Amino acid sequence: MKNYSLYTKTLFLLFSFVLISCDLDTSPTDAVEEKEVFKTVSGSEKVLNGSWGQLMETFSTYANPGFGSFLRTSDAMGNDVVLQTNKYGFGNHYQFSALYGKGGTNSHSWNLSYKTINNMNNILAYIDDSKGDAGEKRRIKGQAYALRGFMYLHLASSYAFAIDKDPNALAVPIYLKPTTANTQPGKRATVTEVYNQALADLEEALVLIPEGYVRKQKFQIDHTVVLGLLSRANLYARNWQKAKDYSDRLLVKNDYLMTENEYKTGFNDVNNREWIWGHPQTPDQSGASYQFHYLDVTSTDSFYYSFNADPHFKDLFDDGDYRKSMINWAPDPGAKIENASVVWMRYAKFKFKAGQLADIVLMRTSEIYLINAEAKARLNDGDAINKLNEVKRARHAALASNLSGNDLVEAILLERRKELFGEGFSLVDIVRNQKSVVRKKYELDKVDYTYVVKDEQGKEEVKTKVMTANGHYALNLPDQSPFVANSPYYLYQIPAVEERENPNL
């Protein structure tokens, strides 16, 4: 089969995905001819919802559950996550060999991105002539633009270095019309062109999706999600003024920051008021929950508990910051202490709900505050430090003072690392700011692990056991060279099959 971006049938229309609610009830794709489904507005919405299900739930391997696998990849390749050596998933990413090898996650990213883009292109090609309510038609059209823009943002920020390193660097092809087996494969657009396409799609979505549209569930893209994506995309594209303007507009709509109690409940519930966008899970649709087997490092429900924290990461937090109290040495969840000899730094941020379910967070107001702060800092806007301190205050951290210029920008980037740990921003931030991965070996071989045991009468006794402590073990690139800025090891690679089959790359 030629060319992953093109030669996949349009209506792998995902109707095998029964997504989340009766809204997403669908019929098998092979029951209809491809274009038939687009004759009605409701048919186009089924394609939209099915495309979302495919994007978020499709596995290539168990280490790659949907779009969330790209978020996990970003964190595994950053500064602050330490992969547990004897557990499944993302170990090659942590050691920087997975993406450079061109297979695996590269192919999964390429396939999911272009399948989603092609489905959105089909919606946009046919919806104007479809039968149905004009308002619904306009809203679905806007959501299709938004989802296509989201995909181009992923491609722009993952397959090329920062836009200001080389605005004309080649990235990936852009497709704006439905493709078939007879479509001429595209050449690579520049990173500037791919960012501009993402921004153009998102701006069109902002016009089309009614500001008063009330979505039924948080996976659906509404006006606030588009404002958030425009804030994020303009930040990555270094359009500081627009990043500031869009994030200002969003914070007028939603400026809620979760409480300490909410923060400690496990980052697993789309009903959290701080979540702007997320992917819900149910017992019938729970594939994406599999990611919590990596993220949840403290509960016995987790199989792998592999995304542990660098011990040096804990040192970045102020005393009194409740996030710091959530990061502690511990053996494997459920391990018998008398048999355990090894501890990892466990961050109890992510926890399964009952039944091994967990919703996936995609956007929070904390991110928007920090986008707003960074954009304003780069514009020398005095409100930047206020927005940074809003996040710090909510986490009971020491407030920033007497910071400006690059010092303030660096403080904001550090806060992003602390606040957004495990949410998929680590490598993206490193690449877009032309920084190097920074990892240090943990100096102590042994630590005292303190635990509580109960005797037969229920009396508690505090004990201490000397354990082997683990920190970073991948301290350089696969060729044994040191980490540097703008390393090709940081980028997604175009899959080998695409290079073979597309002569226009």
Side-chain angles (χ1 to χ4, degrees):
M1 181 178 288
K2 289 186 177 181
N3 193 278
Y4 277 96
S5 65
L6 293 170
Y7 305 140
T8 348
K9 280 272 191 177
T10 302
L11 302 191
F12 35 101
L13 278 182
L14 337 165
F15 288 165
S16 58
F17 288 96
V18 181
L19 244 182
I20 302 151
S21 78
C22 59
D23 287 14
L24 306 173
D25 193 16
T26 54
S27 307
T29 355
D30 56 10
V32 292
E33 193 172 325
E34 289 183 1
K35 293 182 182 179
E36 288 296 310
V37 72
F38 297 108
K39 287 188 175 181
T40 64
V41 171
S42 62
S44 290
E45 186 159 32
K46 287 183 178 181
V47 176
L48 178 69
N49 291 334
S51 298
W52 179 259
Q54 183 184 60
L55 176 64
M56 296 303 295
E57 300 283 335
T58 300
F59 284 75
S60 67
T61 70
Y62 281 110
N64 282 291
F67 186 84
S69 65
F70 315 141
L71 306 179
R72 311 290 78 83
T73 292
S74 180
D75 285 320
M77 295 176 69
N79 298 329
D80 303 318
V81 166
V82 176
L83 267 288
Q84 192 154 330
T85 52
N86 61 341
K87 298 299 176 183
Y88 177 76
F90 296 96
N92 290 336
H93 300 77
Y94 172 72
Q95 298 176 77
F96 291 88
S97 59
L99 297 187
Y100 205 67
K102 294 192 175 184
T105 303
N106 288 286
S107 297
H108 194 44
S109 166
W110 193 267
N111 294 342
L112 280 183
S113 296
Y114 281 109
K115 284 176 180 179
T116 304
I117 287 168
N118 200 39
N119 277 338
M120 298 307 101
N121 286 342
N122 273 278
I123 292 174
L124 295 171
Y126 295 114
I127 195 166
D128 285 343
D129 295 325
S130 64
K131 296 178 182 178
D133 179 78
E136 288 292 284
K137 186 183 300 187
R138 180 181 177 89
R139 186 259 304 170
I140 293 165
K141 186 175 182 179
Q143 290 172 323
Y145 272 116
L147 187 50
R148 189 175 76 176
F150 179 56
M151 288 294 92
Y152 279 123
L153 176 58
H154 165 65
L155 293 169
S157 58
S158 302
Y159 289 82
F161 291 119
I163 191 171
D164 54 335
K165 180 180 185 294
D166 180 1
N168 297 313
L170 295 180
V172 298
I174 294 173
Y175 297 99
L176 303 180
K177 294 181 179 180
T179 56
T180 70
N182 297 317
T183 302
Q184 182 69 18
K187 63 180 182 179
R188 295 166 72 188
T190 67
V191 62
T192 301
E193 290 170 330
V194 182
Y195 269 118
N196 286 345
Q197 186 60 54
L199 291 166
D201 282 347
L202 293 169
E203 286 166 355
E204 186 68 18
L206 194 66
V207 172
L208 291 171
I209 298 174
E211 191 166 358
Y213 162 63
V214 179
R215 59 190 172 173
K216 295 179 180 179
Q217 298 196 56
K218 275 192 179 174
F219 79 90
Q220 295 167 312
I221 299 174
D222 66 1
H223 209 258
T224 58
V225 172
V226 179
L227 285 173
L229 287 174
L230 279 166
S231 303
R232 186 188 293 176
N234 277 291
L235 189 80
Y236 293 3
R238 306 186 84 77
N239 299 327
W240 312 128
Q241 186 63 48
K242 286 189 174 182
K244 180 192 90 70
D245 292 344
Y246 284 121
S247 55
D248 273 336
R249 289 172 62 182
L250 178 46
L251 290 174
V252 169
K253 288 174 168 286
N254 181 3
D255 63 355
Y256 183 79
L257 292 169
M258 69 179 80
T259 65
E260 178 178 356
N261 183 61
E262 288 172 319
Y263 207 96
K264 292 180 175 179
T265 55
F267 275 76
N268 56 25
D269 191 346
V270 293
N271 295 313
N272 188 306
R273 287 172 58 194
E274 189 181 309
W275 287 32
I276 297 170
W277 196 25
H279 181 58
Q281 298 282 269
T282 68
D284 293 331
Q285 165 124 10
S286 60
S289 296
Y290 198 88
Q291 294 161 53
F292 268 65
H293 287 297
Y294 312 107
L295 294 171
D296 182 349
V297 296
T298 59
S299 81
T300 54
D301 279 342
S302 184
F303 295 162
Y304 309 131
Y305 33 87
S306 52
F307 272 52
N308 299 295
D310 173 17
H312 297 292
F313 179 64
K314 184 172 183 177
D315 296 336
L316 301 177
F317 293 83
D318 305 309
D319 292 337
D321 185 328
Y322 58 75
R323 295 171 298 187
K324 187 173 187 175
S325 69
M326 299 165 66
I327 310 171
N328 296 289
W329 291 113
D332 290 352
K336 293 183 178 179
I337 301 302
E338 60 269 23
N339 298 329
S341 60
V342 173
V343 289
W344 300 79
M345 190 64 82
R346 313 285 188 179
Y347 190 1
K349 178 176 177 178
F350 300 94
K351 298 174 186 175
F352 272 115
K353 292 188 282 190
Q356 291 186 330
L357 292 178
D359 303 336
I360 308 302
V361 62
L362 297 171
M363 184 186 295
R364 295 192 289 126
T365 53
S366 292
E367 181 200 354
I368 306 306
Y369 272 97
L370 294 170
I371 287 172
N372 191 264
E374 182 181 342
K376 287 177 176 176
R378 295 184 187 277
L379 292 167
N380 295 314
D381 183 325
D383 190 44
I385 197 167
N386 298 327
K387 290 300 187 292
L388 170 62
N389 280 335
E390 286 295 314
V391 177
K392 286 179 166 288
R393 186 177 293 107
R395 309 300 172 235
H396 302 173
L399 301 185
S401 61
N402 300 319
L403 290 177
S404 60
N406 190 61
D407 290 340
L408 179 54
V409 171
E410 290 299 320
I412 294 163
L413 295 178
L414 177 59
E415 194 62 33
R416 283 179 65 92
R417 287 171 59 186
K418 294 189 290 183
E419 177 64 18
L420 302 176
F421 176 94
E423 297 179 50
F425 296 96
S426 185
L427 187 67
V428 173
D429 278 357
I430 288 167
V431 170
R432 73 177 176 88
N433 290 302
Q434 298 193 59
K435 291 183 175 292
S436 172
V437 171
V438 177
R439 294 177 179 173
K440 293 191 298 182
K441 184 178 176 62
Y442 188 60
E443 299 82 2
L444 299 178
D445 292 329
K446 304 288 184 180
V447 296
D448 291 334
Y449 174 65
T450 301
Y451 59 103
V452 177
V453 295
K454 292 183 179 181
D455 62 19
E456 293 179 355
Q457 286 73 42
K459 183 179 179 181
E460 293 185 347
E461 180 183 358
V462 178
K463 291 190 173 184
T464 299
K465 183 176 181 178
V466 177
M467 298 273 212
T468 299
N470 285 279
H472 278 305
Y473 56 90
L475 300 171
N476 47 36
L477 295 168
D479 62 1
Q480 302 307 305
S481 63
F483 294 121
V484 293
N486 300 317
S487 169
Y489 284 99
Y490 300 164
L491 296 184
Y492 280 72
Q493 306 294 311
I494 294 176
V497 65
E498 180 74 13
E499 290 184 330
R500 287 198 307 269
E501 300 294 343
N502 183 351
N504 297 322
L505 285 179

